[in-house]
Amino acid sequence: MNTTLLKPGTLLHGGDYNPEQWLDRPEILEEDIRCMKYAHINCVSLGIFAWAKLEPQEGVFDFSWMHEIIDRLYREGIHVILATPSGARPRWLSDRYPEVLRVDVNRHRNLFGERHNHCLTSPIYRKKVHILNKKLAEEFGSHPGVILWHISNEYGGECHCPLCQEAFRNFVRSRYADIQELNKRWCTTFWSHTYDSFDQIESPSPRGESGLHALNLEWKRFVTCQTLDFAKEEIEALREGESVLPATTNLMYYYDGLNYQKFTDTFDILSWDNYPVWHKKAEMQTALDCGMFHDIIRSIQKKPFLLMESCPSATNWQPVSKLKRPGMQRLSSLQAIAHGSDSVQYFQIRQGEGASEKFHGAVIDHYGGTEGRVINEVAETGKALEQLREIYNSTVAAPVAIIYDWENNWAMQDAAGPRNENLFAKEAVLKSYEAFRKLGLNVDLISMEQPLEGYQIVAAPMLYVMEESFSDKVRDYVKAGGAFIMTYWSDIVDGTDRCFMKGTPHHLMDVFGLRQAEIDALYEGEQNIAAPVTDTSWSFPREYTCSHLCELLKLRGATSILEYQEDFYADYPAVTEHAYEQGMAYYIAADMETEFYLDFYRQIADKLQLYGPWGKETIPEGVAVSTRENMDYTYIFVQNYNSHAISIKPLPDTDMIYGLSDNILDGYETVVWKKKR
Ligand code: GLA
Ligand code: ZN
């Protein structure tokens, strides 16, 4: 693992700070600093949307205000994550150079306004960003208070302008030997959509081509590639300005528009913005959902990440912006730390006075000062992070992995197959995730490009796309003694969404000892039942429901563990096992209820003698357990997502570093123990 040590060498606590909004009132900065210190804040993100204040006219720069603020914060012990302001541009730029304005999928060019809407390709936009970034690096890159570059903000969206079309054509050209090869692999003979030359390639559009799945997939790949190319140029400009500081960019919750798994090399450390909707369903369900995304982000670089934004109270953009109940802000923040974050940052430090985010929650509200409930909760979180400071830069070791692959998601969702209403693909991943987590096991979520070695169990839910390179890894993994679980709707197409002939799971029929013959889609509310087969080595306490998708298998060596009970495929296998060389290959043919995954994975873990810090005991309902580790210690986080207190005994051979009194874990509270390794 390569680490990215940030200068303060401790867990960061702070958030987005946009003081350029009140430069005319210097007393606000003084008040803010007082509040930040009260709230145990040690780091703010500055300049994210400040281009118009940094370059008010083309070529006229003003860094004086930023110097004053950074100096002032540094004197008070507050560090700065400095942004490159490419996320929103000043008006003069698009007035003078309209090519920087994004063109939408219907080929209409946007007017000036909003943010995150530049053309990804425009040489002029890139040049203007380059000039400003280089100057920022020269001005602030060696300031002792600046610790990290925050590259742009939440990169996203796509541009369909002529410049982007040209770049897309070149991208496609570089990936195929000639247009005949492209036609073959994209299956363009269907509906007579054959291309005569690469010059005819256009991005997908509802006004034109939208049903050519390979084109859609290549376009999405291109958007990721072009976004990263843009980001690389941003970082190059900082390096030209002689800054050696590490760079991050902030990612978005399950954002589908960019393949974040390709962000590995461009950034030194990844970060993301987490805005869970608490208090709507069972808190544990929400915790699993955002816990999984923490793990997805951490698994990309397999090292600590940063929580770059979160809301200290309520947002203003969710359908209903509910206040976090007392304690929830700290619980949610410590969840990020438990899953491998080295920071808790908020949006925003001070609530804006006007425009579209004026009612978004903040550490310092419109009333100001330190008497409010929210700033006091933030201060408690700050104190907790100080108590946990030795956890900084520790890592997360996961004995199990789930394959979660962006390109697979893109292809599967676009494919027009057995269910267009909802494939419940994310839910399928969550079911495995929930089961592993409830067993107290840390989980990595990895792409098909990452290695499988080192994991004791690997689960692959709905791996619709499969390239040979990945199937080779699976084969080697199982051969060498691994336990591999794959589900329905896997290994169906190649990387251009072209179906495999002669049976699926195409590359792995021998490993699983079966073939998928048909797939049945169930209407909402319909169910089949899977019952355990008698006389196996398995012991399931009951039958389980299956919904949405049920495959009909033909076995070629595998044995049934559970069988369907209803419909014309009653008695067909629903779950199978197959010994392959030293390992085991398990196949789940239907969308089984979560309880099945729990009972199934518990038995697989038992067979492997694989236990988390909680051992064989069942973790109490609503409680989450996870660990981080460094050379000397394992840190065990136990978090209570119930609103009520539970009694809990200290784990053997541990010292408590945060939490518990009298063996009672209050509602929404966390306890952290450390154990010598
Ligand atoms: C995003 C943006 C921020 C802000 C917040 C509001 O994450 O990055 O600038 O708009 O949302 O929740
Ligand atoms: Zn463009």
Side-chain angles (χ1 to χ4, degrees), residues 517-576:
E518 290 183 82
I519 183 161
D520 190 21
L522 278 57
Y523 293 117
E524 212 53 51
E526 269 190 322
Q527 284 179 338
N528 204 314
I529 303 285
V533 174
T534 47
D535 298 331
T536 67
S537 64
W538 301 83
S539 89
F540 289 96
R542 63 173 176 87
E543 302 179 332
Y544 304 92
T545 57
C546 4
S547 36
H548 308 125
L549 291 167
C550 296
E551 277 183 349
L552 283 52
L553 304 180
K554 292 211 183 300
L555 301 194
R556 297 168 166 178
T559 49
S560 283
I561 307 176
L562 287 95
E563 285 174 353
Y564 295 115
Q565 299 300 296
E566 288 172 11
D567 219 320
F568 75 94
Y569 45 92
D571 297 338
Y572 279 46
V575 178
T576 67

Side-chain angles (χ1 to χ4, degrees), residues 201-216:
I201 300 215
E202 272 268 337
S203 63
S205 167
R207 291 173 54 210
E209 191 72 85
S210 66
L212 204 49
H213 298 147
L215 170 73
N216 298 346

